[in-house]
Amino acid sequence: MKILLGNNHLAKTGGTENYTFALALELKRQGHKVEYFTFEKGEISSLLEDNGIPFMSGNHYDLILANHNTVVEKLWTYGCNHHRNNVYTSGDIYTILFFNKTRCADSI
């Protein structure tokens, strides 16, 4: 599978940053093609690239796993119009429900 992981920033170590890094390594180890997206590169994004996980290069993914409202909104169009295998996580469940209802109603 071609998988995109998104996180607001990957500049330094933290909760979702560590999670994104560990998940990326494991998915790659299992044979998936993994890429990442962030608004702010840094320490963690450098580690991802050192491990052969590049920054987002395409516009179609089999699975998108995204943290934070801003990332969900940015990446939404890379998934909902092409397929149904999107997972968006956010601290605001209303955002997820709103996007599902208004932006991809024809694909759910």
Side-chain angles (χ1 to χ4, degrees):
M1 289 178 73
K2 186 174 179 184
I3 301 172
L4 179 65
L5 302 178
N7 202 66
N8 192 41
H9 65 80
L10 294 170
K12 58 185 178 178
T13 199
T16 59
E17 296 79 11
N18 293 343
Y19 171 78
T20 300
F21 179 73
L23 182 59
L25 292 183
E26 179 58 23
L27 290 169
K28 183 180 178 201
R29 187 190 69 75
Q30 291 181 15
H32 299 288
K33 180 177 171 141
V34 181
E35 296 181 358
Y36 75 91
F37 171 83
T38 187
F39 292 113
E40 185 180 346
K41 291 183 176 184
E43 176 186 355
I44 303 302
S45 62
S46 293
L47 289 172
L48 287 169
E49 292 181 14
D50 290 347
N51 282 279
I53 298 167
F55 185 77
M56 183 175 86
S57 65
N59 63 359
H60 177 77
Y61 296 89
D62 299 310
L63 179 64
I64 299 173
L65 302 169
N67 296 308
H68 307 112
N69 294 349
T70 53
V71 178
V72 168
E73 188 170 346
K74 174 72 175 177
L75 298 180
W76 190 262
T77 58
Y78 290 98
C80 70
N81 294 325
H82 303 291
H83 51 82
R84 297 182 181 148
N85 298 325
N86 305 298
V87 176
Y88 297 95
T89 62
S90 170
D92 179 6
I93 189 64
Y94 175 77
T95 301
I96 305 306
L97 295 174
F98 175 79
F99 282 131
N100 276 328
K101 188 174 187 180
T102 61
R103 297 203 180 170
C104 288
D106 59 333
S107 64
I108 44 179

